[in-house]
Amino acid sequence: HLMNQLLGIKDDEKRLATHLEIDHCLVVSGDADQSSRVLDELGKTLNSTLQLLLPPGHLTIAVMGGTTMAHLASQLTFQLSAGRELSFVPARGGLGEAVTIQANSIAAAMAEATDSKYRALYVPENLSSESYESLIKEPSVKEVLTLIDKAQVVIHSVGDALVMAKRRGMSPDTIRMLKAKHAVAEAFGVFYDAEGKVVYKIPQIGLQLADLDHIPYVFAVAAGKSKAKAIAAYMQHAPSRTWLLTDVGATNSILTGA
Ligand code: BG6
C-alpha cells in the first residue's frame, strides 16, 4: 500500500489490475491511437517508476523493439543511472523490423538517454540451423546471450497480431493461419487469440516468455484502444508481478469489452 501511495495509484488502475489479474497497472490519460504524446507521457511514467522501484547497483535491462519502445526511450533520463550502473541489452534477436525500431536500436537509445552502457545482439533471421549453431557459439553472441539470461529487468510492449505479422513480413500462408485462428496479440514472438490461447510461435533466440518467471522487474507498456484486445489476451500469460503501463483509451475498452 505504501508503494501505491508513493505512485499515487488511482481507482481505474486498481480496477484494471483486478480485471487483468496482475499486481500493478499505471494508466495515463488520453488514447495513444489519437496522439503520440500519450506515448511520451507513458515514457515519463516509465522513467519515474523505474526511478522509484529499481534497486541501486549493477542492473541488466533487457528490452524489446517496436514503435512504443522507441517512444519510451526518448523519455528516459540520466538520473536513472545515479547510484546505478545500467546495461541495456536487446531481449531477443532480430525479428525483421526496420532498423530504428529493432531491439538493438532501442537498447542503444535507452543507454544513450540514461548515460549507460548497451550491448547489441547480431543474429540475423532465417539462418540455416548449421549457421545458427555456429553463430550462437561466437564469443560476442554468447556473451550477450549470457547477459540476457541474467537480466533483472525487462521492458517490452505488446502488439496487435496482424499488424505485427505484416510488419515483420511473415508469409501470406502464416497470415492466413493467424486470421483463421483469430490471433489478436503478439508478445515475445508468441501469438495469442482473445482467450489467451497460443496460436503460433516465432522461433527466436534470446528471452522467452518462460524466462520472465525469474526476472524480478517486468514492465509491459502498450497503449491505445486498438491494442485493448492484444493487452487483455497477453496479460493472461504475463507474470502477475508485471507492471502494465497503458492509457485511458485501452483501459476503458478493456474494462467495458467495447
Ligand atoms: C515489442 C514486442 O516490444 O513491441 C513485440 O517485443 C510487440 O512483441 C511490439 O509486438 C509492438 O510494437 P509496437 O510498434 O506496436 O509498439
Side-chain angles (χ1 to χ4, degrees), residues 5-254:
Q5 269 166 31
L6 282 171
L7 288 159
I9 303 278
K10 299 176 296 243
D11 279 352
D12 58 341
E13 295 174 329
K14 271 193 221 144
R15 277 173 59 214
L16 184 62
T18 307
H19 183 91
L20 296 173
E21 298 178 43
I22 57 171
D23 297 342
H24 317 279
C25 291
L26 297 173
V27 178
V28 305
S29 50
D31 185 328
D33 294 348
Q34 310 297 329
S35 162
S36 63
R37 283 206 198 162
V38 174
L39 292 178
D40 292 336
E41 213 39 59
L42 278 169
K44 294 195 176 86
T45 304
L46 176 68
N47 190 68
S48 53
T49 309
L50 294 172
Q51 185 66 287
L52 201 60
L53 295 179
L54 298 188
H58 186 92
L59 290 168
T60 302
I61 304 182
V63 300
M64 297 292 281
T67 55
T68 310
M69 291 295 298
H71 263 94
L72 302 179
S74 67
Q75 301 301 321
L76 298 188
T77 62
F78 65 88
Q79 281 93 337
L80 273 185
S81 49
R84 302 186 186 99
E85 205 190 311
L86 306 178
S87 300
F88 288 87
V89 291
R92 306 190 86 196
L95 285 163
E97 300 275 29
V99 174
T100 49
I101 58 169
Q102 279 173 13
N104 275 331
S105 312
I106 307 298
M110 290 192 163
E112 165 139 32
T114 57
D115 199 8
S116 34
K117 292 181 289 192
Y118 78 98
R119 294 293 306 269
L121 180 63
Y122 296 112
V123 181
E125 283 181 281
N126 303 325
L127 285 179
S128 65
S129 54
E130 209 176 44
S131 340
Y132 176 88
E133 290 305 327
S134 61
L135 193 59
I136 59 171
K137 286 188 200 117
E138 272 299 312
S140 66
V141 172
K142 225 172 143 179
E143 209 184 308
V144 180
L145 290 177
T146 310
L147 284 174
I148 295 172
D149 252 2
K150 290 190 186 137
Q152 299 101 319
V153 185
V154 173
I155 309 171
H156 71 95
S157 188
V158 180
D160 173 272
L162 295 178
V163 171
M164 295 312 300
K166 285 177 193 150
R167 193 167 91 194
R168 289 175 181 158
M170 290 166 71
S171 75
D173 274 355
T174 310
I175 293 178
R176 260 194 297 277
M177 179 276 292
L178 290 173
K179 281 185 185 158
K181 293 190 172 176
H182 308 288
V184 297
E186 186 276 346
F188 299 101
V190 184
F191 288 79
Y192 303 95
D193 68 13
E195 276 72 56
K197 202 173 120 217
V198 175
V199 297
Y200 185 67
K201 278 183 190 174
I202 306 176
Q204 192 77 34
I205 65 163
L207 200 84
Q208 314 293 326
L209 184 67
D211 298 327
L212 295 186
D213 290 347
H214 58 85
I215 298 182
Y217 299 95
V218 181
F219 298 91
V221 190
K225 184 173 192 252
S226 63
K227 280 201 177 179
K229 279 203 176 74
I231 295 168
Y234 166 71
M235 283 303 150
Q236 304 189 35
H237 293 263
S240 61
R241 102 192 81 75
T242 301
W243 285 79
L244 170 65
L245 276 62
T246 188
D247 64 4
V248 167
T251 301
N252 286 346
S253 176
I254 293 169

